[in-house]
Amino acid sequence: MPTDQLSRTFAALADPTRRAILARLSEGEATVGQLAEPFAMSFAAVSKHLRVLETAGLVSRGRDAQYRPARLDARPLAAASEWIGDYARFWAGSFDSLGSYLDKLQQHDTTTAKENDDA
């Protein structure tokens, strides 16, 4: 199992069921039973997914007698978003450079075509 926070976050997000659970929790806290409703899986399976999310720090669980609601804790997502943002800036810069290069090529082709037409 990954040991650093960013790796735990991405490992938890790698599973579509866990992403769906997080999406549901973004609407408010829920019990295991409520989280299990849209899935064809047992409460135990949903509980395992919740444990992975808890280990990653993405979910916290309360306790009120027998009621143990799960809550989204989005703080680890901020670090993941920042990490992804660094690469988004890289790609944006790369696409800007590519766009400039293509503009130069197009200008060159237009100039060459005009010179050929004038000849």
Side-chain angles (χ1 to χ4, degrees):
M1 189 67 160
T3 56
D4 68 285
Q5 181 59 52
L6 192 58
S7 295
R8 284 191 303 270
T9 299
F10 282 121
L13 294 173
D15 184 274
T17 300
R18 290 192 287 269
R19 292 192 304 270
I21 289 171
L22 290 177
R24 167 53 186 88
L25 291 175
S26 71
E27 299 169 5
E29 67 181 33
T31 63
V32 171
Q34 291 168 325
L35 293 170
E37 285 175 8
F39 303 107
M41 64 176 64
S42 66
F43 284 15
V46 171
S47 291
K48 286 182 182 181
H49 284 295
L50 281 173
R51 277 194 296 281
V52 172
L53 293 167
E54 282 182 280
T55 300
L58 293 165
V59 168
S60 63
R61 305 279 304 267
R63 182 174 286 271
D64 183 14
Q66 296 297 336
Y67 181 70
R68 292 206 54 208
R71 292 178 198 83
L72 174 65
D73 185 347
R75 288 178 294 181
L77 294 174
S81 178
E82 184 178 321
W83 186 85
I84 290 169
D86 291 341
Y87 290 93
R89 285 186 289 280
F90 166 77
W91 283 109
S94 295
F95 288 133
D96 289 345
S97 296
L98 178 61
S100 295
Y101 178 70
L102 292 174
D103 287 343
K104 286 178 187 177
L105 285 178
Q106 188 175 24
Q107 288 172 356
H108 180 265
D109 289 347
T110 302
T111 303
T112 304
K114 186 176 179 182
E115 288 171 356
N116 289 339
D117 288 344
D118 290 342

